[in-house]
């Protein structure tokens, strides 16, 4: 590998310390997303609302809301009782850290093989710097961070790269989006320019779903009200999905999680 990145500005927590931090900051544990919202999204996905499919093609495999709930209980840690219809819901912090460990293994492979990596977010208010720190570490380890073609548009907005991360921009504002269209625009743009597609996509929302549906290696993050990516992971379409609240009160709360991830991926060691 090349020279190693500067350490991010936080110490690397142990697993136990990270779990305590995730629960205290409500990245996991008793999260802010209410049970009613979770169940509403599971129902809409099961009823075929493509907005909730996040770029994946789920066919008729997930038409029962209770099947969706079962996967979310297993992979995200929401309450598995179908009679729990309102109030508090949860993300299991043990599952969060387990998924971070799996993501770290894929990032380590990307670094060792000097792979081309594309990073993107539909949740810039919460996760932009999580992805930015990952991009910095991968580039310093010798990876190519894919530069997207210029002039791309999707959903009546511009697809830009900000701090190495692909985002949707409209009216001088970075947009929160679940749409797969921006990632589709990037992949189509790369193909039209005769450029190779990424070896790995690190993303969230429809950016991750679209990349995985097109057969690319994809890992990412998802909240407990975004079940599609977890279904994709269960089916093997996505390689890793990390369950977390994707927009907590302070984005700096994610720093210990990123330190843990990059250290587990051997991207912080000299």
């Amino acid at each position: 590998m090349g020279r190693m990145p500067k350490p991010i500005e936080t110490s690397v927590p142990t697993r136990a310390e990270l779990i305590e931090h995730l629960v205290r900051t409500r990245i996991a544990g008793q999260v802010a997303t209410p049970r009613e919202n979770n169940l509403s999204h599971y129902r809409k996905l099961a009823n075929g609302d493509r907005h909730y499919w996040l770029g994946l093609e789920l066919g008729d495999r997930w038409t029962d809301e209770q099947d969706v709930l079962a996967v979310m209980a297993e992979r995200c840690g929401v309450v598995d009782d179908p009679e729990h219809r309102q109030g508090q819901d949860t993300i299991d912090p043990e599952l969060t850290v387990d998924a971070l460990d799996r993501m770290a293994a894929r990032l380590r492979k990307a670094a060792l093989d000097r792979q081309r990596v594309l990073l993107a977010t539909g949740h810039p208010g919460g996760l932009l710097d999580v992805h930015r720190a990952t991009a910095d570490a991968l580039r310093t380890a010798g990876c190519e961070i894919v530069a997207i073609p210029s002039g791309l548009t999707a959903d009546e907005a511009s697809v830009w790269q900000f701090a190495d991360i692909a985002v949707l921009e409209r009216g001088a504002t970075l947009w929160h989006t679940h749409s797969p269209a921006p990632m589709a625009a990037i992949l189509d743009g790369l193909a039209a320019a005769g450029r190779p597609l990424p070896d790995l996509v690190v993303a969230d929302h429809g950016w991750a779903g679209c990349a995985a549906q097109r057969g690319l290696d994809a890992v990412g993050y998802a909240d407990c009200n975004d079940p599609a990516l977890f279904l994709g992971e269960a089916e093997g379409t996505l390689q890793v999905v990390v369950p977390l609240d994707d927009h907590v009160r302070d984005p700096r709360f994610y720093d210990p999680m990123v330190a843990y991830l990059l250290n587990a991926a051997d991207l912080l060691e000299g």
Side-chain angles (χ1 to χ4, degrees):
M1 293 190 204
R3 63 186 180 84
M4 301 310 295
K6 296 178 181 178
I8 60 176
E9 295 181 2
T10 188
S11 59
V12 177
T14 65
R15 181 186 177 98
E17 290 169 342
L18 179 59
I19 287 173
E20 187 278 330
H21 172 80
L22 295 174
V23 172
R24 178 170 49 82
T25 57
R26 301 185 74 183
I27 295 172
Q30 295 191 350
V31 293
T33 308
R35 178 68 166 192
E36 301 93 309
N37 184 262
N38 284 343
L39 294 182
S40 172
H41 287 200
Y42 304 169
R43 185 178 312 112
K44 290 173 180 176
L45 178 147
N47 288 339
D49 187 333
R50 290 300 186 100
H51 174 77
Y52 296 93
W53 287 17
L54 301 182
L56 294 168
E57 292 298 329
L58 301 177
D60 59 0
R61 301 185 298 279
W62 299 98
T63 57
D64 187 332
E65 177 188 346
Q66 300 308 316
D67 291 340
V68 179
L69 174 60
V71 170
M72 293 303 292
E74 176 189 15
R75 293 182 176 268
C76 184
V78 301
V79 176
D80 62 0
D81 180 3
E83 299 305 314
H84 178 50
R85 308 301 299 177
Q86 60 185 3
Q88 183 67 56
D89 213 341
T90 56
I91 293 174
D92 185 342
E94 296 279 356
L95 294 178
T96 302
V97 180
D98 287 346
L100 288 169
D101 287 338
R102 297 196 303 276
M103 181 183 283
R106 185 60 186 86
L107 296 179
R108 187 183 311 115
K109 174 177 172 55
L112 289 171
D113 295 345
R114 305 289 182 92
Q115 291 185 339
R116 297 181 303 276
V117 184
L118 174 64
L119 300 98
T121 186
H123 229 307
L127 299 179
L128 181 64
D129 212 38
V130 171
H131 291 300
R132 192 275 313 160
T134 304
D136 283 353
L138 288 170
R139 173 182 281 113
T140 305
C143 290
E144 174 190 343
I145 303 304
V146 174
I148 70 172
S150 61
L152 299 179
T153 61
D155 297 331
E156 301 180 342
S158 298
V159 184
W160 283 1
Q161 216 160 9
F162 183 77
D164 285 327
I165 312 308
V167 293
L168 193 67
E169 186 275 344
R170 183 187 300 160
T173 300
L174 304 185
W175 275 68
H176 172 214
T177 177
H178 289 73
S179 173
M183 178 59 75
I186 293 173
L187 300 180
D188 291 344
L190 290 170
R195 294 173 52 195
L197 296 179
D199 300 305
L200 174 66
V201 172
V202 183
D204 48 70
H205 285 180
W207 305 80
C210 175
Q213 186 62 45
R214 293 204 181 190
L216 300 177
D217 283 5
V219 300
Y221 303 92
D223 208 330
C224 54
N225 63 353
D226 290 327
L229 297 189
F230 294 101
L231 300 183
E233 183 187 36
E235 292 189 330
T237 310
L238 281 102
Q239 293 192 334
V240 181
V241 180
V242 178
L244 48 66
D245 186 318
D246 55 17
H247 197 130
V248 292
R249 180 170 56 83
D250 185 344
R252 293 274 68 81
F253 288 165
Y254 296 110
D255 286 356
M257 181 191 80
V258 176
Y260 179 93
L261 171 68
L262 298 182
N263 183 67
D266 295 332
L267 293 174
L268 289 183
E269 297 178 358

